[in-house]
Amino acid sequence: MTAVLQRTAPPTAAQGWWAKTVVAARYEYLMQVRRPAVWVVVLALIALRCASPFPPGFTSTTDNTFLVADWAGNFMLCPIGVGAVLADRVRRDSRLGLSDLLTSTPTGIGPRLWGKAIGAGAASTTPVVIAWVGLLGYLTAQRGAGVIPVGLGAFAAIILPALVFVAACSVTVPYLTGPVLYRLGLFGYWIWGNMVGPRFGIPTPAGTPFEAIGEYPAGAWFHGTLFDARQRGITPTGGEAVLSIAFLLLVGLAVLVMTQLVLTRRSPS
């Protein structure tokens, strides 16, 4: 118990908001990254998607940007895994008796919430980062160092915004729905909003700038294969790619801000 208290000890009230957030994020990262489920679930989803057939000409292309963009598409299921392992942070803290402990400290609701989003979110995406770095190492050995800047840019533009969006939602929405209902909702949203294209005749954001799988930045900047956008007769532009990324980041920011306001109003202090 002493070890737990030492690890969870927050900064004093005299420290600033950002310092408290950094300490909370460090604690959340160390707690989350050690969970086997984080690695098993996320890496299993990467393997599952990569086991599916590649697009025509995928393995024979000489265009590094196209190759890397389509590899990024094979990571499209990762956010489901990230959201699934993050959703139980609220229940887990309560079960371990940490909620009351943390509430009694001078850290404050804001730094604890943002620290959880940053730290636990970074920990849950660590397997994704490691898998991507491993992929870039393999592609570099096959095609040369020119793959590296393209790969880093593709990760930042195609994969990372969705992970940030899902991480923000996964540490906030379960406060209202509980982890089980949230996981079901996340899975349903991800399939409907990103993988059920307009060809099915169902209203969906798939193929629009408001989908979360990064098709617009992949198509606009990396010559990636377009599926749902092309079904809508759209060839994304750079501006639409920026809009797609901004939408995900702003929604993630908004849910964190709203959750902080709700939790502050609920707090007895």
Side-chain angles (χ1 to χ4, degrees), residues 117-136:
I118 296 170
S124 300
T125 60
T126 295
V128 184
V129 174
I130 291 177
W132 189 254
V133 169
L135 170 65
L136 290 187

Side-chain angles (χ1 to χ4, degrees), residues 92-211:
R92 183 179 175 85
D93 287 351
S94 178
R95 186 173 67 249
L96 294 176
L98 296 177
S99 295
D100 293 338
L101 173 64
L102 294 173
T103 301
S104 66
T105 67
T107 305
I109 291 174
R112 287 202 309 272
L113 176 65
W114 288 83
K116 187 185 298 291
I118 296 170
S124 300
T125 60
T126 295
V128 184
V129 174
I130 291 177
W132 189 254
V133 169
L135 170 65
L136 290 187
Y138 169 76
L139 294 178
T140 298
Q142 297 291 317
R143 295 169 173 262
V147 172
I148 295 177
V150 178
L152 295 177
F155 184 87
I158 301 172
I159 300 175
L160 187 58
L163 294 175
V164 172
F165 164 69
V166 170
C169 292
S170 300
V171 298
T172 55
V173 178
Y175 277 104
L176 304 176
T177 64
V180 176
L181 185 59
Y182 173 78
R183 289 189 183 107
L184 292 174
L186 174 63
F187 180 79
Y189 156 74
W190 203 259
I191 299 300
W192 162 76
N194 300 283
M195 302 174 70
V196 176
R199 67 185 180 279
F200 292 98
I202 301 173
T204 172
T208 74
F210 308 110
E211 65 181 6

Side-chain angles (χ1 to χ4, degrees), residues 207-209 215-241:
T208 74
E215 187 178 27
Y216 272 56
W221 295 330
F222 299 93
H223 313 138
T225 302
L226 296 173
F227 295 101
D228 298 330
R230 185 151 294 169
Q231 290 174 21
R232 295 183 183 275
I234 298 173
T235 300
T237 65
E240 290 170 329

